[in-house]
Amino acid sequence: MLTDIQLEKYAKVLFWGMQKARVTPFAPGDIVLVRTDLAALPLAEKMQSLILAQGLNPVLRINPPSPLEKGYFSLAGQEQLSFVIPGDRELYERLAGLISLLAPDSITHLKDIPPTKIATFSLARKYLRDILDKREATRQFGWTLCLMPTPALAENAGLTPEDYAAQIIRASYLDEADPVATWEEIFREAHGVKEWLNGMDVAYYHVQSASTDLKVHPGQSRCWIGISGHNIPSFELFISPDYRLTEGTYHADQPSYRSGNLVSGVTLEFSAGQARVIKADQGAEFVRSQLEMDPGACRLGEFSLTDKRFSPINAFMAHTLFDENFGGKHGNCHVAVGASYADTYAGDPAELTDERKKELGFNDSALHWDLVNTEPKKVTAFLQDGTKTVIYEDGMFTMPDEARL
């Protein structure tokens, strides 16, 4: 559903995103892992050619299609779910880049698999993410990912295949002559908003909508990040707060698919930094099982806002990559339960040891699950000097024009 020219543009945008996220230049011979679903092989071919042309070494791995993945989780025992593949550690300790090409042939095939089995599998592989987090903190690694249109995604989103593909093309600017140049401009504009947000000395943010009343404390040594090359597309700006101080009620009015399960209408209540499920229109027990995955799964790992002026995404896409960047009429706010992002640390990344993370209230978990609220909302920053200022309203950041100069 994407033309050959659009695939070439997509590959260039993805390489740009990975390089932006990495910050430091690649060196000849660096290793880039390309993980791809079967339906994304035409894009993987373009990606491989581009990586080779840059003098880098691509390593391609194909994700198992849904029948294989379902069969594995159905039959695997505890020891098999916890099995560590020889060589993975050595590869990940040398990775300079990662590009994930997502094109699922199903998003519901795991719905009857016990969540505990998927949790065991995720926990056994968390060490690989920890390796990449540490490499990224020292700017030895960068990553990005994207989504290709598939019939399964379109069907679950309630869109025609053509309309689904059109959302991807428009949101990634593949219909423009030079999408990389467009992304550079968005990157520049977002930098100004982040500077404005990071210039405030905030005690806490108060999020208010018809169904949400939440207080999020950024904590010490935090900075807003986003639109940094991670994820194509990405229009959100976010922070990983001090999870220990989160209080209030959060409602996700947007549905969410996770591990084959559809959940909708989820309301969480945070008390002393711990979340519990108040209600869910669908999937309440599954949500509870996810919050019990490990000690950090019920804590806040991310707080995010998307300005509707940045994001052209205006439809439910049945995939977090797009849904967490929803623009629509009112923009979106989303929170993630589970793991924090270490790159929201405002100091020297080399100083952010595991002990320092605990001291600052960065959350640790094998889970990271984004839950999205698209209601009209107001976000007020209560500052350390006792004053307050609205930073987000009517789906937009309220940065004054003079701050843009």
Side-chain angles (χ1 to χ4, degrees):
M1 285 182 277
L2 269 62
T3 67
D4 194 66
I5 292 175
Q6 288 170 338
L7 289 173
E8 289 183 357
K9 290 179 179 179
Y10 219 171
K12 290 177 181 177
V13 168
L14 287 164
F15 193 89
W16 169 87
M18 177 178 62
Q19 175 65 84
K20 277 290 186 186
R22 179 185 162 89
V23 181
T24 57
F26 287 100
D30 273 348
I31 301 170
V32 176
L33 175 61
V34 178
R35 291 195 301 224
T36 181
D37 289 329
L38 285 175
L41 285 179
L43 179 56
E45 183 179 353
K46 302 291 186 185
M47 206 72 251
Q48 177 177 257
S49 297
L50 182 54
I51 293 168
L52 287 169
Q54 297 293 323
L56 309 176
N57 288 310
V59 174
L60 271 68
R61 287 190 173 177
I62 297 178
N63 300 321
S66 60
L68 280 177
E69 188 174 38
K70 181 179 180 180
Y72 173 81
F73 280 108
S74 297
L75 300 173
Q78 286 295 108
E79 290 189 2
Q80 292 162 318
L81 291 167
S82 301
F83 174 68
V84 174
I85 299 173
D88 272 4
R89 178 182 291 276
E90 290 76 11
L91 172 62
Y92 277 61
E93 286 176 343
R94 293 186 59 193
L95 280 184
L98 166 65
I99 298 173
S100 295
L101 312 178
L102 309 177
D105 63 344
S106 169
I107 61 172
T108 59
H109 57 287
L110 298 181
K111 63 182 176 63
D112 296 323
I113 300 297
T116 53
K117 298 188 82 170
I118 299 173
T120 298
F121 181 85
S122 299
L123 287 166
R125 285 149 185 81
K126 181 178 177 294
Y127 79 98
L128 295 174
R129 191 177 71 195
D130 292 342
I131 291 171
L132 297 184
D133 284 347
K134 290 178 180 177
R135 290 185 62 77
E136 184 171 25
T138 55
R139 297 183 175 178
Q140 300 178 78
F141 172 78
W143 62 271
T144 194
L145 57 84
C146 76
L147 190 66
M148 288 283 284
T150 67
L153 286 169
E155 179 181 354
N156 284 281
L159 299 174
T160 66
E162 294 76 18
D163 286 344
Y164 197 96
Q167 287 279 338
I168 291 178
I169 291 167
R170 183 170 63 250
S172 304
Y173 302 105
L174 305 182
D175 52 348
E176 298 196 4
D178 187 355
V180 170
T182 301
W183 278 110
E184 280 285 0
E185 177 60 21
I186 294 170
F187 183 88
R188 186 193 66 78
E189 291 181 13
H191 179 74
V193 180
K194 288 182 284 187
E195 282 197 328
W196 172 66
L197 290 169
N198 289 328
M200 302 179 195
D201 189 10
V202 178
Y204 66 92
Y205 300 102
H206 189 191
V207 187
Q208 297 170 290
S209 74
S211 305
T212 291
D213 189 349
L214 185 71
K215 292 181 179 178
V216 176
H217 294 250
Q220 298 178 16
S221 302
R222 299 301 205 277
C223 62
W224 285 81
I225 64 172
I227 312 184
S228 58
H230 294 145
N231 299 352
I232 299 297
S234 178
F235 304 105
E236 59 167 320
L237 301 182
F238 61 93
I239 194 168
S240 282
D242 186 337
Y243 74 85
R244 298 167 296 190
L245 303 174
T246 309
E247 296 282 345
T249 302
Y250 179 80
H251 177 73
D253 67 304
Q254 188 186 77
S256 174
Y257 281 94
R258 183 171 182 83
S259 300
N261 292 267
L262 174 63
V263 302
S264 62
V266 176
T267 301
L268 302 178
E269 182 179 68
F270 288 87
S271 178
Q274 307 281 325
R276 67 183 183 93
V277 181
I278 296 297
K279 71 176 185 69
D281 296 337
Q282 183 173 348
E285 286 307 312
F286 175 77
V287 179
R288 290 188 181 96
S289 74
Q290 295 300 284
L291 297 183
E292 295 170 358
M293 181 181 293
D294 58 32
C298 65
R299 302 167 182 162
L300 190 63
E302 176 192 359
F303 169 60
S304 171
L305 294 167
T306 296
D307 191 312
K308 66 183 181 183
R309 294 169 294 185
F310 282 151
S311 174
I313 301 168
N314 58 11
F316 174 63
M317 295 287 280
H319 196 285
T320 299
L321 174 60
F322 273 70
D323 294 333
E324 70 175 356
N325 289 289
F326 182 84
K329 293 182 179 180
H330 309 296
N332 91 71
C333 160
H334 74 259
V335 302
V337 285
S340 293
Y341 286 113
D343 44 357
T344 64
Y345 176 61
D348 182 353
E351 299 173 352
L352 194 59
T353 61
D354 290 343
E355 292 75 17
R356 182 65 172 151
K357 286 181 182 179
K358 291 180 181 178
E359 180 184 327
L360 292 171
F362 279 92
N363 193 31
D364 184 47
S365 175
L367 180 71
H368 184 90
W369 186 9
D370 298 291
L371 298 166
V372 182
N373 178 294
T374 66
E375 297 174 325
K377 66 181 57 63
K378 179 170 70 173
V379 181
T380 305
F382 285 76
L383 306 182
Q384 295 287 0
D385 64 6
T387 62
K388 62 182 180 179
T389 183
V390 175
I391 64 164
Y392 185 91
E393 194 169 22
D394 193 27
M396 298 179 288
F397 288 107
T398 61
M399 184 173 75
D401 289 340
E402 57 266 25
R404 299 176 187 274
L405 301 178

